[in-house]
Amino acid sequence: MNPRSSPESAEDERDSIVRLYAVTDGRTRARHHLSMNTVLGPGLRPPRGLPEESQEIVRLCRQRQRPLVELAGTLHLHVAAVSVLVSDLIDAQALSLPIPDAPGKERDDQALLAVVAGIRRRWPGARSKAG
């Protein structure tokens, strides 16, 4: 018998799905566009009356800035569920999206050139409307 199809694993999976549903109040999409690499920091308002998972996210982000995927791994939750919670915390001003330190003009130019190259590969015939 396959261990993944055992009654215990099916029950564990069902419990996990129910937990995710309860944690996000049934929501599956975040209001903010967040990638797995989105870095989050502490917000302006101290949170009150938050669910346990949200409190833990805020606590972790107060220790240091953390990417969304690290929060999901630390909490043992699916990234989609953490995205919903983080989006709520951003709206409540309990978390922020910190602006990274200015890396210098050379790195900025390299990043922009990489973006332009990617766009040109994806849409080779595209032309800018800017003057």
Side-chain angles (χ1 to χ4, degrees):
M1 179 176 196
N2 182 350
R4 291 184 144 201
S5 63
S6 70
E8 293 91 21
S9 67
E11 188 174 309
D12 290 345
E13 186 175 336
R14 194 171 37 252
D15 290 347
S16 177
I17 291 169
V18 169
R19 179 174 181 234
L20 288 175
Y21 184 86
V23 164
T24 63
D25 291 330
R27 294 171 292 141
T28 59
R29 295 184 188 219
R31 283 185 295 281
H32 298 278
H33 177 73
L34 304 167
S35 76
M36 291 193 310
N37 298 321
T38 300
V39 176
L40 300 149
L44 301 173
R45 289 186 173 174
R48 293 175 190 238
L50 294 174
E52 180 182 333
E53 292 83 3
S54 295
Q55 288 176 16
E56 185 65 10
I57 290 170
V58 171
R59 187 187 68 74
L60 290 167
C61 289
R62 285 188 174 183
Q63 291 174 350
R64 66 176 171 82
Q65 295 178 2
R66 296 178 190 264
L68 184 93
V69 71
E70 181 182 335
L71 294 169
T74 302
L75 296 171
H76 305 289
L77 290 173
H78 193 279
V79 172
V82 175
S83 294
V84 171
L85 296 175
V86 163
S87 185
D88 292 346
L89 292 168
I90 291 169
D91 288 344
Q93 297 181 348
L95 288 182
S96 65
L97 298 168
I99 298 171
D101 294 336
K105 182 163 176 32
E106 183 178 300
R107 286 189 63 194
D108 288 344
D109 290 347
Q110 288 175 351
L112 288 173
L113 290 172
V115 169
V116 169
I119 290 171
R120 286 187 177 146
R121 274 194 305 274
R122 178 76 167 106
W123 295 286
R127 297 283 178 239
S128 170
K129 291 185 179 182

